């Protein structure tokens, strides 16, 4: 489920946070599903439990998960969060398009870049 890249410059907790965020947004972890316990995931990844706790705390602050005392952490209802995330992406993307046009990049070049990057990400 979680694979760490030790060559990545980002802290491990950020990698874990990003991976869970992706799994939640893609629906691989549906609302109400239970996340692995801090201790269990720390043992699986052979890292300090505090690192997992920090990642879970970040996800909780983002509203993606919620804790249940004595039961663990669960995925929150994320449909509203997903829509907000998509809207933020649209705004960022629109800004990039504007910058590309100002730089002299043609529509066809932009579309080609988008296709190429989508293909690379889906591999």
């Amino acid at each position: 489920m979680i694979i760490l890249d030790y060559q990545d410059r980002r802290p491990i907790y950020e990698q874990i946070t990003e991976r869970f965020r992706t799994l939640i947004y893609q629906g691989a972890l549906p609302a109400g599903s239970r996340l692995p316990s801090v201790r269990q995931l720390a043992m699986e990844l052979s890292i300090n439990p505090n690192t997992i706790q920090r990642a879970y705390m970040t996800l909780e602050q983002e509203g993606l998960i919620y804790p249940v005392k004595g039961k663990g952490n669960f995925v929150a209802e994320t449909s509203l969060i997903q829509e907000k995330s998509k809207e933020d992406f649209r705004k960022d993307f629109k800004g990039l398009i504007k910058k590309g046009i100002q730089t002299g990049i043609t529509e066809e070049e932009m579309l080609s870049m988008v296709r190429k990057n989508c293909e690379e990400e889906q591999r």
Side-chain angles (χ1 to χ4, degrees), residues 53 55-67 73:
Q53 187 60 45
Y56 281 6
M57 186 174 58
T58 302
L59 292 167
E60 184 181 346
Q61 288 170 347
E62 292 176 9
L64 295 176
I65 67 172
Y66 62 93
N73 291 290

Side-chain angles (χ1 to χ4, degrees), residues 4 16 21 31 33 36 55 61 65 91 94 99 102 119:
L4 300 176
I16 294 167
R21 191 181 296 123
S33 60
Q61 288 170 347
I65 67 172
K91 288 177 185 175
K94 190 174 180 179
K99 186 174 180 180
Q102 292 170 346
E119 288 171 4

Side-chain angles (χ1 to χ4, degrees), residues 88-98 110 114:
D88 290 345
F89 172 78
R90 286 183 196 101
K91 288 177 185 175
D92 292 345
F93 192 67
K94 190 174 180 179
L96 286 172
I97 291 170
K98 183 177 181 178
M110 281 190 243
V114 169

Side-chain angles (χ1 to χ4, degrees), residues 18-109:
E18 180 184 306
R19 185 65 181 135
F20 274 117
R21 191 181 296 123
T22 301
L23 291 170
I24 291 168
Y25 285 153
Q26 290 178 343
L29 287 174
S33 60
R34 186 175 183 274
L35 297 181
S37 71
V38 170
R39 188 175 295 161
Q40 175 189 359
L41 190 55
M43 286 178 61
E44 272 182 38
L45 300 175
S46 300
I47 59 175
N48 190 313
N50 292 334
T51 304
I52 304 298
Q53 187 60 45
R54 187 168 181 189
Y56 281 6
M57 186 174 58
T58 302
L59 292 167
E60 184 181 346
Q61 288 170 347
E62 292 176 9
L64 295 176
I65 67 172
Y66 62 93
V68 175
K69 194 167 183 119
K71 302 246 184 211
N73 291 290
F74 296 83
V75 177
E77 179 55 52
T78 57
S79 59
L80 296 176
I81 295 168
Q82 285 176 324
E83 284 306 312
K84 184 188 179 318
S85 177
K86 287 178 183 180
E87 187 56 37
D88 290 345
F89 172 78
R90 286 183 196 101
K91 288 177 185 175
D92 292 345
F93 192 67
K94 190 174 180 179
L96 286 172
I97 291 170
K98 183 177 181 178
K99 186 174 180 180
I101 290 170
Q102 292 170 346
T103 308
I105 297 175
T106 66
E107 179 181 343
E108 192 53 46
E109 287 173 313

